[in-house]
Amino acid sequence: MLKHPTLDLLGQLGLPGMAQAFADLVNNDEAAGLSHAEWLALLLDHEATYRNDRRLALRLRHARLRHHAVPEDVNYRAPRGLDRRLFDMLIKGDWIAKHENCAIIGPTGIGKSWLACALGHQACRDNRSVLYTRLPRLIEELALAKGDGRIAARMKSLARVDLLILDDWGLDPLDGNARHHLLEVLEDRYGRRATLVTSQLPVSRWHELIGDPTYADAILDRLVHNAHRLEISGESMRRQSIVVAP
């Protein structure tokens, strides 16, 4: 069958979703009974779906989430004290829109990173920009960026992200440069963007971990006072014979 000229025009206009839908409808005998308005509605619906899927894929690629985690797969039956009401509230994302913060706290292997990535995935669905990174790795990257003159550009990019996920908060003590870089990141984001951290350590120990009292006060003031705290506990889920997602 000859290629329909409308397909070429839709391609030229950059409407691949509509083009695919048009090709499907042309080859569908049942579509002959559709009105012009129904045809147009179907074409527009396919184009909107195509663009939303492409946008989500781009968001997820840029987010670099550690786990392929989605809210629908969260296991609320695991014995770890996960507050479902609080987590459902976090999934809705109003705290991100309000530029608030979140801390997920619990022992190793309990699923903190997985839950953080699930929240990040939902934020991508909501057409928000997300970036996942482990805090130790970010500190290393910022140190390198300072050395080769890219620090300003890197800080600017971190400030623009709607949701910044800092995994493994408190894994290593912070030196002077790390404290300075971390404070600058949080200062740029405070009241403008949302930040999520995961940590094995309770908030009460974060001050001593940061080290310098002045920096600790400044960092925690920008991170903790408006943070939603999701505290979970229990044995490592890696050791359990639970086959469903965390």
Side-chain angles (χ1 to χ4, degrees):
M1 187 181 71
L2 294 176
K3 187 175 182 180
H4 199 291
T6 300
L7 289 174
D8 289 331
L9 182 57
L10 290 172
Q12 294 172 18
L13 293 173
L15 300 169
M18 293 184 72
Q20 182 60 55
F22 182 86
D24 293 341
L25 289 172
V26 166
N27 297 320
N28 188 341
D29 294 336
E30 296 181 1
L34 298 176
S35 67
H36 294 306
E38 289 172 330
W39 260 73
L40 179 59
L42 284 172
L43 295 179
L44 291 172
D45 182 68
H46 277 73
E47 181 63 31
T49 299
Y50 174 84
R51 294 191 179 196
N52 287 337
D53 289 346
R54 285 288 299 273
R55 186 182 300 115
L56 176 58
L58 183 63
R59 293 286 194 198
L60 289 172
R61 185 162 67 250
H62 288 166
R64 303 174 187 173
L65 298 176
R66 180 177 182 179
H67 302 284
H68 180 67
V70 295
E72 294 83 2
D73 289 342
V74 173
N75 179 15
Y76 293 101
R77 294 171 297 170
R80 54 180 171 177
L82 178 59
D83 186 335
R84 183 164 189 168
R85 181 178 298 181
L86 174 57
F87 194 74
D88 285 345
M89 183 276 292
L90 294 173
I91 290 173
K92 292 178 181 178
D94 291 342
W95 63 283
I96 302 176
K98 295 177 182 177
H99 309 145
E100 297 171 346
N101 299 326
C102 177
I104 302 179
I105 304 165
T108 183
I110 202 68
K112 301 183 300 298
S113 300
W114 200 98
L115 293 173
C117 288
L119 293 174
H121 192 285
Q122 183 61 49
C124 288
R125 289 180 181 176
D126 295 335
N127 200 29
R128 294 186 169 108
S129 58
V130 178
L131 177 64
Y132 167 95
T133 183
R134 295 179 60 252
L135 181 59
R137 179 177 299 172
L138 178 62
I139 295 301
E140 291 177 1
E141 291 176 353
L142 292 177
L144 291 174
K146 181 179 180 181
D148 59 23
R150 295 179 295 110
I151 187 66
R154 183 63 172 142
M155 286 290 187
K156 187 175 181 180
S157 68
L158 290 171
R160 289 197 301 259
V161 177
D162 292 326
L163 175 62
L164 177 63
I165 300 175
L166 299 178
D167 202 3
D168 290 332
W169 173 280
L171 200 60
D172 300 310
L174 303 179
D175 61 20
N177 284 329
R179 287 191 290 265
H180 174 75
H181 291 324
L182 182 57
L183 177 58
E184 290 301 308
V185 169
L186 295 176
E187 172 62 27
D188 289 343
R189 299 181 57 77
Y190 181 69
R192 302 179 182 91
R193 296 290 189 271
T195 302
L196 187 158
V197 299
T198 74
S199 179
Q200 299 178 30
L201 301 177
V203 175
S204 60
R205 292 190 55 191
W206 290 6
H207 196 281
E208 66 178 86
L209 173 79
I210 295 171
D212 183 281
T214 302
Y215 269 100
D217 288 343
I219 289 172
L220 295 183
D221 179 66
R222 288 157 178 78
L223 180 65
V224 174
H225 94 272
N226 68 341
H228 302 274
R229 300 188 192 183
L230 184 67
E231 300 186 15
I232 50 182
S233 60
E235 295 183 4
S236 171
M237 296 183 67
R238 301 190 186 106
R239 302 172 188 167
Q240 299 175 29
S241 59
I242 299 175
V243 295
V244 292

